[in-house]
Amino acid sequence: MTDPIHPPHPSAPVRHVVFVTWKAGNAPAFEAAKRLGHHVTLIRSLVMEQAQNIDFDASPYARFVDRVHVLKDATDPVALRSLVLEVHRERPVDGFVATVDALVVPVARIAEEIGVPFTDAGAAEAAKQKDRCREILAAAGVDTTRYAVVSGFEEAAAFAADGGYPVVVKPARGSGSEGAHVVADEERLAAVLADAPHDAYAAGILVEEYLSGRFVSAEIGLVHGRFLRLAVSERSTWHRHEALETGTTIPAGISPEEHERVMRFAEEVVGAVGLRLGVFHVEVMLGADGTPRLIELNPRIMGSCLPNLFRLAGGGDIFELLVRIHLNEPIERGPTVFDAYATVRWFGAADRVATPERVPDLGWAAEEYGDSLHSLTVRFPEGDTLLPCRGNLGNFGEVQVVHADRETSIRIAEDIVGGMADRLGIEVTR
């Protein structure tokens, strides 16, 4: 197990940490900030909370927030800037934490305006604009994956004809695997683009070379010019829609040499783009020849329940680290040493089906798998119909498992998903 990060001396001054929106999986960061002795402000976004079906007042972490401000939509840049400037006048901000994709760039711009250390705004914008990120990495000689931004089918087909199928099609800006497809042939390419919602590729259609190998991600911190290597995790995808992630195991079952290559590559990616400060989630394809290639660079901490998996596997409190990094504190921390394997599997409807009348009893999983099962949740969205799950937002179920053996951790998680599918009577993504 990794040694805990030593907190600041008790006589250290109280600092003001402002969280810009929140998610259920990252709410423990409020408690970490209070444990470190800081004043915690939260800017809520009602639109985001409604979309995620979360209730701040019901959260066990709400009590760690000293001051709450509410916006209808925090992605409104004018409203967000006005509120942050008001908060800053009332009590100067020492550090921002933004863990939601849509807020990193707006917060970075405001932080630069008022002189608060944060992730570089231009670099965060480049990371989110996937073609710009690839352009920067190619110029730096870090990654040479073929790509093109196209306006429609004819250009996309020409790109595919030049390099061959399969190709990956995704929005030039986006997250959560929404709108991403692995396309096997021209007929499928035409269908994907024809069936896409009108706003799916509003920022452009990004077509990329298909990468094969082991899908992993590097979690790294950066503060005062020093990289902190936190974890390499392994990812699973659904065979019917390869762009859909169905789960993660921390740490990845790779060799020390492969771990070193992935981490070194992630550092080169972050350095080339110039992100400067933060905790970053770098998705990587580790080829059969051992060469890492970038899938996606996210200028924020890993999402969903993954920070909790990090803790379950013995990595320590990543939220304490997150807060201290965004307060621009110098941090001394050795490599993470895990003592278990933590696995999550998410699942949703494989096809359009009627919403089951009720959630089946979940107690069977704990009876069968005991302490290895950390949590199992199933929550259907409102409505009579479950839509096909083709992105992270379409999941209705999640299971978290922790075990000393990697293969057993993965097997138990997958067995529970299979058991839930049987009890629901529907096919699920897995």
Side-chain angles (χ1 to χ4, degrees):
M1 179 179 291
T2 301
D3 292 334
I5 305 164
H6 297 294
H9 191 275
S11 63
V14 174
R15 305 182 75 188
H16 185 196
V17 183
V18 175
F19 290 83
V20 183
T21 74
W22 71 291
K23 296 189 291 187
N26 290 334
F30 304 153
E31 187 274 334
K34 286 305 296 180
R35 185 179 352 114
L36 291 168
H38 301 310
H39 182 88
V40 177
T41 292
L42 170 65
I43 296 175
R44 294 174 56 190
S45 175
L46 296 182
V47 170
M48 286 189 176
E49 292 177 16
Q50 291 164 1
Q52 298 175 64
N53 195 24
I54 55 177
D55 181 358
F56 176 73
D57 294 326
S59 169
Y61 297 99
R63 63 192 179 94
F64 299 108
V65 178
D66 297 295
R67 184 72 185 275
V68 177
H69 298 270
V70 180
L71 289 175
K72 179 179 180 182
D73 183 2
T75 63
D76 177 343
V78 175
L80 178 63
R81 178 181 178 274
S82 177
L83 178 55
V84 170
L85 294 182
E86 177 186 332
V87 168
H88 187 56
R89 282 192 298 268
E90 191 175 287
R91 183 175 188 138
V93 178
D94 295 296
F96 289 103
V97 178
T99 59
V100 176
D101 283 309
L103 272 302
V104 175
V105 173
V107 171
R109 289 173 178 156
I110 297 169
E112 287 186 359
E113 178 182 348
I114 63 178
V116 175
F118 193 70
T119 305
D120 181 84
E125 175 70 29
K128 297 309 299 175
Q129 187 70 37
K130 296 180 176 65
D131 57 309
R132 175 60 181 151
C133 183
R134 290 221 177 272
E135 179 184 16
I136 292 170
L137 297 181
V142 173
D143 190 295
T144 57
T145 300
R146 292 179 62 251
Y147 72 96
V149 176
V150 302
S151 59
F153 169 74
E154 295 297 334
E155 293 178 23
F159 176 91
D162 185 49
Y165 287 93
V167 295
V168 178
V169 176
K170 62 177 72 169
R173 290 185 70 101
S175 60
S177 301
E178 300 293 333
H181 299 267
V182 174
V183 178
D185 52 43
E186 188 171 292
E187 181 180 358
R188 178 60 182 155
L189 177 62
V192 163
L193 296 181
D195 295 342
H198 74 280
D199 60 345
Y201 301 112
I205 304 167
L206 181 63
V207 189
E208 296 179 336
E209 170 188 354
Y210 175 77
L211 303 177
S212 62
R214 295 196 64 183
F215 181 16
V216 300
S217 64
E219 320 303 336
I220 59 173
L222 176 59
V223 65
H224 288 279
R226 180 183 178 186
F227 283 107
L228 305 173
R229 296 181 172 184
L230 305 179
V232 175
S233 60
E234 60 183 291
R235 321 301 289 266
S236 65
T237 60
W238 187 36
H239 69 282
R240 280 180 52 185
H241 183 65
E242 197 175 338
L244 177 65
E245 296 177 35
T246 56
T248 297
T249 297
I250 299 179
I254 58 177
S255 70
E257 294 76 18
E258 290 169 327
H259 183 277
E260 171 65 25
R261 281 197 292 272
V262 170
M263 281 297 189
R264 188 169 61 246
F265 174 73
E267 291 173 358
E268 290 173 352
V269 167
V270 169
V273 175
L275 286 173
R276 189 176 67 191
L277 175 73
V279 178
F280 309 119
H281 175 67
V282 189
E283 297 183 357
V284 176
M285 187 66 74
L286 186 60
D289 63 354
T291 301
R293 308 277 290 278
L294 182 72
I295 295 177
E296 188 170 277
L297 169 61
N298 294 280
R300 44 85 180 156
I301 192 172
M302 54 187 165
S304 185
C305 65
L306 301 192
N308 189 52
L309 288 194
F310 182 87
R311 179 187 63 81
L312 290 173
D317 185 352
I318 199 170
F319 290 120
E320 181 176 310
L321 181 67
L322 176 73
V323 171
R324 293 193 61 193
I325 285 177
H326 280 285
L327 286 170
N328 203 31
E329 296 181 9
I331 295 171
E332 296 296 327
R333 185 185 193 277
T336 308
V337 179
F338 295 102
D339 56 14
Y341 292 88
T343 297
V344 62
R345 286 294 182 267
W346 303 292
F347 51 97
D351 303 293
R352 185 186 182 98
V353 295
T355 302
E357 293 183 2
R358 61 180 179 82
V359 174
D361 175 57
L362 306 181
W364 66 273
E367 292 177 6
E368 187 163 347
Y369 297 104
D371 292 341
S372 295
L373 175 63
H374 175 71
S375 66
L376 172 60
T377 57
V378 175
R379 185 171 60 184
F380 301 127
E382 294 183 3
D384 297 330
T385 303
L386 294 178
L387 298 178
C389 178
R390 298 297 183 268
N392 295 352
L393 299 179
N395 295 310
F396 61 72
E398 175 188 285
V399 56
Q400 296 180 39
V401 171
V402 60
H403 197 279
D405 178 71
R406 169 183 166 272
E407 291 184 359
T408 303
S409 178
I410 294 171
R411 178 185 57 77
I412 291 174
E414 293 180 345
D415 285 352
I416 292 174
V417 174
M420 286 308 309
D422 292 340
R423 286 163 174 80
L424 291 169
I426 62 174
E427 181 55 44
V428 300
T429 58
R430 49 176 154 167

